[in-house]
Amino acid sequence: MAEQSRVDEYWMNRALELAAQAAAKGEVPVGAVVVLEGREIGAGFNAPISGCDPTAHAEIRALRDAAARVGNYRLSGATLYVTLEPCTMCVGAIVHGRISRLVYGAAEPKAGAIESARRTLEEPHLNWDVTAVGGVLSDQCSRVISEFFSRRRAEIRRLRKQPSGKE
Protein backbone atom coordinates (compact mmCIF):
# COMPACT_ATOMS: atom_id res chain seq x y z
CA MET A 1 0.00 0.00 0.00
CA ALA A 2 2.84 2.40 0.80
CA GLU A 3 4.32 1.72 -2.64
CA GLN A 4 1.00 2.59 -4.33
CA SER A 5 0.83 5.83 -2.30
CA ARG A 6 4.31 6.81 -3.52
CA VAL A 7 3.32 6.04 -7.11
CA ASP A 8 0.10 8.04 -6.74
CA GLU A 9 1.99 11.01 -5.30
CA TYR A 10 4.55 10.86 -8.12
CA TRP A 11 1.86 11.07 -10.80
CA MET A 12 -0.16 13.66 -8.88
CA ASN A 13 2.95 15.86 -8.86
CA ARG A 14 3.03 15.48 -12.65
CA ALA A 15 -0.63 16.56 -12.75
CA LEU A 16 0.27 19.58 -10.59
CA GLU A 17 2.93 20.54 -13.17
CA LEU A 18 0.21 20.48 -15.82
CA ALA A 19 -2.07 22.56 -13.59
CA ALA A 20 0.67 25.20 -13.45
CA GLN A 21 0.59 25.34 -17.26
CA ALA A 22 -3.14 26.04 -17.13
CA ALA A 23 -2.61 28.82 -14.58
CA ALA A 24 0.08 30.39 -16.76
CA LYS A 25 -2.54 30.70 -19.52
CA GLY A 26 -5.13 32.22 -17.17
CA GLU A 27 -7.13 28.99 -16.96
CA VAL A 28 -8.37 27.41 -13.75
CA PRO A 29 -5.32 25.35 -12.71
CA VAL A 30 -6.34 21.74 -13.14
CA GLY A 31 -4.01 19.14 -14.59
CA ALA A 32 -4.51 15.50 -15.52
CA VAL A 33 -2.35 12.61 -16.64
CA VAL A 34 -3.26 9.12 -17.88
CA VAL A 35 -0.89 6.33 -16.87
CA LEU A 36 -0.80 2.79 -18.23
CA GLU A 37 1.67 0.15 -17.11
CA GLY A 38 3.78 2.73 -15.29
CA ARG A 39 4.14 5.20 -18.13
CA GLU A 40 2.40 8.40 -19.13
CA ILE A 41 0.21 7.91 -22.20
CA GLY A 42 -1.79 11.14 -22.04
CA ALA A 43 -1.70 14.56 -20.44
CA GLY A 44 -3.86 17.64 -20.33
CA PHE A 45 -4.67 20.81 -18.48
CA ASN A 46 -7.73 23.04 -18.40
CA ALA A 47 -8.19 25.11 -21.57
CA PRO A 48 -11.88 25.96 -22.02
CA ILE A 49 -11.23 29.72 -22.12
CA SER A 50 -8.21 29.75 -24.43
CA GLY A 51 -9.69 27.00 -26.59
CA CYS A 52 -13.23 28.43 -26.67
CA ASP A 53 -14.31 24.89 -25.81
CA PRO A 54 -16.53 24.12 -22.81
CA THR A 55 -15.39 20.47 -22.94
CA ALA A 56 -11.68 21.28 -22.71
CA HIS A 57 -11.32 20.18 -19.10
CA ALA A 58 -7.99 18.68 -18.08
CA GLU A 59 -9.46 15.17 -17.84
CA ILE A 60 -11.06 15.28 -21.29
CA ARG A 61 -7.87 16.60 -22.88
CA ALA A 62 -5.77 13.92 -21.15
CA LEU A 63 -8.19 11.18 -22.27
CA ARG A 64 -8.14 12.47 -25.86
CA ASP A 65 -4.35 12.56 -25.82
CA ALA A 66 -4.10 9.05 -24.40
CA ALA A 67 -6.62 7.58 -26.85
CA ALA A 68 -4.80 9.15 -29.80
CA ARG A 69 -1.43 7.86 -28.60
CA VAL A 70 -2.60 4.27 -28.09
CA GLY A 71 -4.94 4.27 -31.08
CA ASN A 72 -7.99 3.22 -29.10
CA TYR A 73 -10.70 5.18 -27.29
CA ARG A 74 -10.89 2.46 -24.66
CA LEU A 75 -8.17 2.80 -22.06
CA SER A 76 -8.80 -0.30 -19.93
CA GLY A 77 -6.21 -0.78 -17.22
CA ALA A 78 -5.22 2.90 -17.20
CA THR A 79 -5.24 5.27 -14.23
CA LEU A 80 -6.28 8.90 -14.56
CA TYR A 81 -4.66 11.32 -12.12
CA VAL A 82 -6.30 14.74 -11.78
CA THR A 83 -5.71 17.56 -9.33
CA LEU A 84 -9.41 18.31 -8.75
CA GLU A 85 -12.41 16.03 -8.27
CA PRO A 86 -14.01 15.56 -11.70
CA CYS A 87 -17.35 17.05 -12.72
CA THR A 88 -20.24 15.04 -14.15
CA MET A 89 -19.12 15.56 -17.76
CA CYS A 90 -15.64 14.29 -16.99
CA VAL A 91 -16.93 11.30 -15.04
CA GLY A 92 -18.97 10.35 -18.10
CA ALA A 93 -15.86 10.53 -20.27
CA ILE A 94 -13.89 8.49 -17.72
CA VAL A 95 -16.52 5.75 -17.83
CA HIS A 96 -16.79 5.80 -21.64
CA GLY A 97 -12.99 5.72 -21.90
CA ARG A 98 -12.94 2.63 -19.68
CA ILE A 99 -10.49 4.12 -17.20
CA SER A 100 -9.93 1.52 -14.49
CA ARG A 101 -8.73 3.78 -11.71
CA LEU A 102 -9.26 7.46 -10.93
CA VAL A 103 -7.02 9.29 -8.48
CA TYR A 104 -7.78 12.91 -7.64
CA GLY A 105 -6.38 15.51 -5.29
CA ALA A 106 -8.74 18.19 -4.00
CA ALA A 107 -12.46 17.73 -3.47
CA GLU A 108 -14.74 20.05 -5.47
CA PRO A 109 -17.67 20.91 -3.19
CA LYS A 110 -19.76 22.67 -5.85
CA ALA A 111 -19.44 20.38 -8.87
CA GLY A 112 -17.51 17.30 -7.78
CA ALA A 113 -19.22 14.20 -9.13
CA ILE A 114 -17.33 11.51 -7.21
CA GLU A 115 -18.11 12.33 -3.58
CA SER A 116 -18.88 16.02 -3.09
CA ALA A 117 -21.95 17.24 -5.00
CA ARG A 118 -22.95 13.80 -6.29
CA ARG A 119 -21.72 10.21 -6.49
CA THR A 120 -21.94 9.53 -10.19
CA LEU A 121 -19.74 6.41 -10.20
CA GLU A 122 -22.28 4.74 -7.92
CA GLU A 123 -25.10 5.08 -10.47
CA PRO A 124 -26.46 1.55 -11.08
CA HIS A 125 -26.92 2.02 -14.84
CA LEU A 126 -23.20 2.55 -15.56
CA ASN A 127 -21.64 -0.23 -17.59
CA TRP A 128 -18.09 0.19 -16.30
CA ASP A 129 -16.62 0.14 -12.80
CA VAL A 130 -14.02 2.74 -11.91
CA THR A 131 -12.10 2.57 -8.66
CA ALA A 132 -11.77 6.09 -7.25
CA VAL A 133 -9.26 7.37 -4.71
CA GLY A 134 -9.49 10.95 -3.50
CA GLY A 135 -7.32 13.19 -1.38
CA VAL A 136 -3.90 12.44 -2.89
CA LEU A 137 -1.76 15.54 -2.24
CA SER A 138 -5.03 17.31 -1.46
CA ASP A 139 -3.36 20.17 0.42
CA GLN A 140 -1.11 21.03 -2.53
CA CYS A 141 -3.94 20.63 -5.04
CA SER A 142 -6.29 22.79 -2.96
CA ARG A 143 -3.63 25.44 -2.47
CA VAL A 144 -3.06 25.79 -6.23
CA ILE A 145 -6.78 26.42 -6.80
CA SER A 146 -7.16 28.75 -3.79
CA GLU A 147 -4.15 30.85 -4.72
CA PHE A 148 -5.36 31.15 -8.33
CA PHE A 149 -8.78 32.44 -7.31
CA SER A 150 -7.28 34.71 -4.65
CA ARG A 151 -5.05 36.32 -7.31
CA ARG A 152 -8.01 36.60 -9.67
CA ARG A 153 -10.15 38.34 -7.03
CA ALA A 154 -7.29 40.73 -6.20
CA GLU A 155 -6.90 41.59 -9.88
CA ILE A 156 -10.64 42.28 -10.21
CA ARG A 157 -10.51 44.59 -7.15
CA ARG A 158 -7.49 46.38 -8.60
CA LEU A 159 -9.25 46.93 -11.92
CA ARG A 160 -12.37 48.28 -10.21
CA LYS A 161 -10.30 50.90 -8.38
CA GLN A 162 -8.69 52.23 -11.56
CA PRO A 163 -10.20 55.39 -13.00
CA SER A 164 -12.14 54.63 -16.16
CA GLY A 165 -11.11 57.79 -17.97
CA LYS A 166 -14.74 58.47 -18.89
CA GLU A 167 -16.40 61.67 -17.79
Side-chain angles (χ1 to χ4, degrees), residues 4 10 15 20 28 31 35 41 50 57 70 87 89 94-95 100 103 120 159 166:
Q4 186 63 60
Y10 173 85
V28 175
V35 176
I41 61 167
S50 58
H57 289 195
V70 301
C87 69
M89 174 183 70
I94 290 164
V95 169
S100 295
V103 179
T120 307
L159 291 172
K166 296 178 185 176

Side-chain angles (χ1 to χ4, degrees), residues 24-111:
K25 292 181 175 269
E27 300 278 357
V28 175
V30 179
V33 61
V34 181
V35 176
L36 182 63
E37 297 173 355
R39 68 185 229 294
E40 180 178 317
I41 61 167
F45 56 83
N46 265 7
I49 298 166
S50 58
C52 296
D53 179 357
T55 69
H57 289 195
E59 301 95 320
I60 303 285
R61 296 182 77 213
L63 291 169
R64 287 176 179 159
D65 186 35
R69 286 192 202 186
V70 301
N72 193 337
Y73 74 98
R74 291 195 169 162
L75 303 166
S76 302
T79 299
L80 173 67
Y81 292 88
V82 62
T83 57
L84 187 65
E85 180 182 0
C87 69
T88 304
M89 174 183 70
C90 291
V91 171
I94 290 164
V95 169
H96 285 290
R98 303 295 195 260
I99 291 294
S100 295
R101 188 165 177 262
L102 166 68
V103 179
Y104 62 94
E108 214 301 22
K110 293 181 182 175

Side-chain angles (χ1 to χ4, degrees), residues 124-140:
H125 65 278
L126 294 180
N127 62 348
W128 185 255
D129 289 326
V130 179
T131 301
V133 177
V136 174
L137 299 184
S138 62
D139 289 345
Q140 294 94 315

Side-chain angles (χ1 to χ4, degrees), residues 140-158:
Q140 294 94 315
C141 294
S142 294
R143 189 175 321 112
V144 166
I145 296 282
S146 296
E147 289 173 356
F148 173 82
F149 283 110
S150 179
R151 284 190 304 272
R152 182 179 271 181
R153 286 188 298 274
E155 179 64 14
I156 290 168
R157 283 192 300 274
R158 186 187 67 75

